[in-house]
Amino acid sequence: MVRTLLALQGGLLRGALAQLLSAEHDIEIVGEVDSPHHLRAAVRAERPDVAVIEFDMLTVAELIHLATADPAADPAGDPYSSVTGADPVATDVAGGPHPRQLVAPPATLVGSLLVLVEQRRAGRLGPVLAEHGHRIGFLSRDVPPGRIVDGVRQLAEGRVVLDPDLVVAALEVAASPLTNREREVLDVVAEGHPVQEIADRLVLSAGTVRNHLSRIMAKTGARTRWEAVRIARESGWL
């Protein structure tokens, strides 16, 4: 069985996807969460083989950390405090009509991530695609439900899952003037958090966050941080 965790903010979508996946004979839903905090707790408790995650729930850096975190290196089991580049070693799952199915052992907190991305956000995928293709799969939120089912199985088998339309969209986005850290700051700004909460979320000082915001507004030509979010989204940088 592929033990699968769902981390999606929309209750209707999450419920429908849970029902769809649960109907499959080789997929087990081990949890459903709707926030980053609950996601952290769920991955520590369940160690799923695949987690289906909404792209807007985590920053790109948090996605990478979650996919590569080594629980043995961190006694607390926090997926955001330890990063390792080692690939999981797959082990065979006995029986069933899918003899090729593989599932990662608990060398990482999550075997693989299947991330659902809105087309307009494809420009953010560049830093992840080349380095983490076997750990993190990407599908458009608009794909047919059956494609998500297939994606869960393929990731469990150690195969690459990547929506070609997202790749094309990522390549068509003009080069962003923002650094990865500046995009992370703007991501959290877009959620409506004040400076101190942004600093706490990204483990930065408030002064550093303000410096990042000043550079972001200069690069985007924005007068406010909210205008910077709008410009970055319209340009495909966020």
Side-chain angles (χ1 to χ4, degrees), residues 149-213:
V149 175
D150 292 340
V152 168
R153 290 194 179 111
Q154 289 164 354
L155 280 173
E157 294 171 358
R159 295 159 61 188
V160 174
V161 175
L162 186 57
D163 189 328
D165 289 340
L166 289 178
V167 176
V168 171
L171 293 175
E172 289 177 345
V173 171
S176 171
L178 304 177
T179 66
N180 288 339
R181 177 59 85 183
E182 287 166 353
R183 286 197 294 266
E184 289 174 7
V185 169
L186 209 52
D187 260 336
V188 184
V189 168
E191 297 175 6
H193 298 295
V195 168
Q196 188 57 58
E197 289 183 13
I198 296 170
D200 293 343
R201 171 84 174 267
L202 298 178
V203 196
L204 299 171
S205 69
T208 298
V209 170
R210 291 190 183 94
N211 289 338
H212 281 308
L213 289 172

Side-chain angles (χ1 to χ4, degrees), residues 5 40 198 231:
L5 172 70
R40 296 183 184 99
I198 296 170
I231 291 170

Side-chain angles (χ1 to χ4, degrees), residues 26-229:
D26 56 341
I27 297 175
E28 176 189 5
I29 300 300
V30 297
E32 299 178 42
V33 299
D34 60 0
S35 71
H37 173 74
H38 292 135
L39 172 59
R40 296 183 184 99
V43 296
R44 285 195 295 267
E46 300 294 344
R47 304 286 176 88
D49 302 317
V50 177
V52 180
I53 298 179
E54 192 170 19
F55 185 58
D56 288 341
M57 186 171 288
L58 299 175
T59 67
V60 170
E62 287 171 337
L63 281 173
I64 295 172
H65 289 184
L66 182 60
T68 58
D70 180 2
D74 175 29
D78 188 343
Y80 301 98
S81 64
S82 173
V83 179
T84 175
D87 288 331
V89 179
T91 55
D92 290 322
V93 175
H98 296 278
R100 292 185 61 253
Q101 182 174 311
L102 303 173
V103 173
T108 56
L109 287 167
V110 181
S112 299
L113 305 178
L114 180 57
V115 185
L116 305 183
V117 186
E118 290 186 47
Q119 199 83 358
R120 64 181 178 84
R121 305 274 279 165
R124 299 293 313 282
L125 302 182
V128 190
L129 295 180
E131 298 182 21
H132 303 280
H134 290 279
R135 289 284 187 84
I136 308 177
F138 293 95
L139 291 176
S140 169
R141 283 177 58 99
D142 297 327
V143 297
R147 182 68 186 93
I148 297 176
V149 175
D150 292 340
V152 168
R153 290 194 179 111
Q154 289 164 354
L155 280 173
E157 294 171 358
R159 295 159 61 188
V160 174
V161 175
L162 186 57
D163 189 328
D165 289 340
L166 289 178
V167 176
V168 171
L171 293 175
E172 289 177 345
V173 171
S176 171
L178 304 177
T179 66
N180 288 339
R181 177 59 85 183
E182 287 166 353
R183 286 197 294 266
E184 289 174 7
V185 169
L186 209 52
D187 260 336
V188 184
V189 168
E191 297 175 6
H193 298 295
V195 168
Q196 188 57 58
E197 289 183 13
I198 296 170
D200 293 343
R201 171 84 174 267
L202 298 178
V203 196
L204 299 171
S205 69
T208 298
V209 170
R210 291 190 183 94
N211 289 338
H212 281 308
L213 289 172
S214 295
R215 287 193 289 270
I216 289 167
M217 287 188 283
K219 289 179 178 180
T220 59
R223 290 170 295 180
T224 68
R225 67 186 70 171
W226 311 116
E227 187 178 8
V229 169

